[in-house]
Amino acid sequence: MTLIIKIGGGEGISLSPILTELATLIRAEPALRVVLVHGGSHETNILSEKLGHPPRTITSPSGHTSRRTDRETLDIFTMVYCGRVNKSIVEHLQREGVNAVGLSGIDSAIWRGTRKSAIRAIEQGRTVIIRDDLSGTVDRVDADFLNLLLDTGRVPVLTPPAITDDGIAINVDADRAAARTAAALEADELLLLSNVPGVLRDPRDPGSLISRVDATTIESARAAAAGRMKNKVLAAEEAMQGIGGRPVPRVIIGSANGERPIASARAGAGTHFVGGALPAGVA
Ligand code: ADP
């Protein structure tokens, strides 16, 4: 059984309970193969402000948002994601008896990606082209290397950035990187856990959860997802389609909060994507 869990780095997520739950799960089921992927967006925003380089957002013409990643932003991003957040997760898991190993996508080129050479963005109502952004998408995952770690009982804890073929570190979306990782490892389950209960029909109403997404309801989930939820729905679809590997049979977007978020999601909480490969979505 291979389980990929992505924990968000948004505001309001407390990592400690979920790491304790994960450690308990692994101790009870040592044959479980787990890869943990994490973000760090909220802490990056805080450090960016402190360092006098406030975060900026790029909004694409289709409404996707992403972090504007110039060189200085990438440096701050790396400090937070690969440093503070990654190492505090590894420290916590080690303290609970789990042999976690923290790596970024550039280590051993686990996540190979392509940099976006020209990004169309909307700025003050006008479309502009940004050419110096250090962001992109993951194309290939080094499953052999991750399997080496998993085969020896390690729990890889992975975080952006990824690396291009010519050796440039790029900021990539951690949800979509987790989806690629799940497909490449032929995982049984992908859990994308964040600060909301799942995909909501109305983002301001936590009671409006879409609990099940299949081929007939995917359009409404895509339409409901705004801002950063768009990437999660896209990631879920990519995992279901098995891009870069095998379709992941069980994909859940759920809450990282609560006492036992992993068990809750697996028991039915959150948004469950079902029904095999879904029709291609909008990137
Ligand atoms: P993380 O950093 O934890 O991975 P994000 O903050 O990036 O998570 O993404 C979740 C955010 O997406 C929510 O906090 C919410 O503001 C936003 N969002 C937009 N549309 C929706 C929706 N339809 N359902 C749930 N969340 C939504």
Side-chain angles (χ1 to χ4, degrees), residues 80-100:
V80 174
Y81 280 66
C82 309
R84 226 192 80 78
V85 179
N86 188 270
K87 296 315 151 198
S88 67
I89 290 174
V90 171
E91 181 189 14
H92 185 122
L93 290 173
Q94 287 286 348
R95 191 164 58 239
E96 298 227 24
V98 171
N99 202 357

Side-chain angles (χ1 to χ4, degrees), residues 218-270:
I218 184 64
E219 275 307 335
S220 58
R222 283 184 198 140
R228 296 165 53 89
M229 184 49 74
K230 275 182 185 287
N231 281 331
K232 288 186 199 299
V233 171
L234 192 56
E237 291 187 58
E238 287 172 344
M240 298 290 290
Q241 289 161 358
I243 295 175
R246 193 177 75 179
V248 182
R250 199 172 187 215
V251 181
I252 306 167
I253 297 180
S255 172
N257 294 322
E259 211 165 293
R260 296 176 67 217
I262 300 170
S264 300
R266 296 175 95 192

Side-chain angles (χ1 to χ4, degrees), residues 29-264:
E29 215 183 309
L32 191 67
R33 297 158 75 84
V34 178
V35 175
L36 191 62
V37 177
H38 66 85
S41 56
H42 182 57
E43 285 206 36
T44 300
N45 292 346
I46 293 172
L47 186 63
S48 299
E49 293 280 359
K50 281 188 187 158
L51 294 176
H53 193 72
R56 284 177 295 157
T57 301
I58 297 176
T59 304
S60 76
S62 65
H64 277 263
T65 54
S66 56
R67 184 183 292 280
R68 171 79 170 98
T69 311
D70 55 15
R71 186 75 232 177
E72 201 173 340
T73 301
L74 189 75
D75 288 343
I76 299 167
F77 177 98
T78 304
M79 285 181 220
V80 174
Y81 280 66
C82 309
R84 226 192 80 78
V85 179
N86 188 270
K87 296 315 151 198
S88 67
I89 290 174
V90 171
E91 181 189 14
H92 185 122
L93 290 173
Q94 287 286 348
R95 191 164 58 239
E96 298 227 24
V98 171
N99 202 357
V101 50
L103 295 163
S104 78
I106 77 171
D107 292 291
S108 192
I110 293 170
W111 289 337
R112 283 271 186 206
T114 309
R115 189 173 83 84
K116 292 177 194 151
S117 53
I119 302 175
R120 269 156 41 90
I122 304 294
E123 275 180 14
Q124 287 156 356
R126 289 179 42 237
T127 303
V128 296
I129 306 285
I130 300 170
R131 295 194 188 278
D132 63 345
D133 205 67
L134 293 167
S135 65
T137 48
V138 173
D139 306 317
R140 299 192 303 282
V141 176
D142 188 348
D144 289 344
F145 178 62
L146 292 176
N147 278 322
L148 267 178
L149 297 172
L150 293 166
D151 289 346
T152 53
R154 266 70 171 191
V155 173
V157 180
L158 304 181
T159 184
I163 189 124
T164 64
D165 281 339
D166 45 2
I168 309 281
I170 49 170
N171 178 6
V172 291
D173 179 67
D175 291 294
R176 294 180 68 192
R180 289 291 184 140
T181 306
L185 290 176
E186 306 190 343
D188 302 281
E189 284 179 33
L190 169 66
L191 310 186
L192 301 173
L193 304 179
S194 86
N195 57 0
V196 281
V199 186
L200 304 171
R201 243 172 234 105
D202 172 0
R204 287 153 307 176
D205 176 7
S208 66
L209 180 74
I210 301 175
S211 53
R212 191 187 147 96
V213 174
D214 58 23
T216 61
T217 52
I218 184 64
E219 275 307 335
S220 58
R222 283 184 198 140
R228 296 165 53 89
M229 184 49 74
K230 275 182 185 287
N231 281 331
K232 288 186 199 299
V233 171
L234 192 56
E237 291 187 58
E238 287 172 344
M240 298 290 290
Q241 289 161 358
I243 295 175
R246 193 177 75 179
V248 182
R250 199 172 187 215
V251 181
I252 306 167
I253 297 180
S255 172
N257 294 322
E259 211 165 293
R260 296 176 67 217
I262 300 170
S264 300

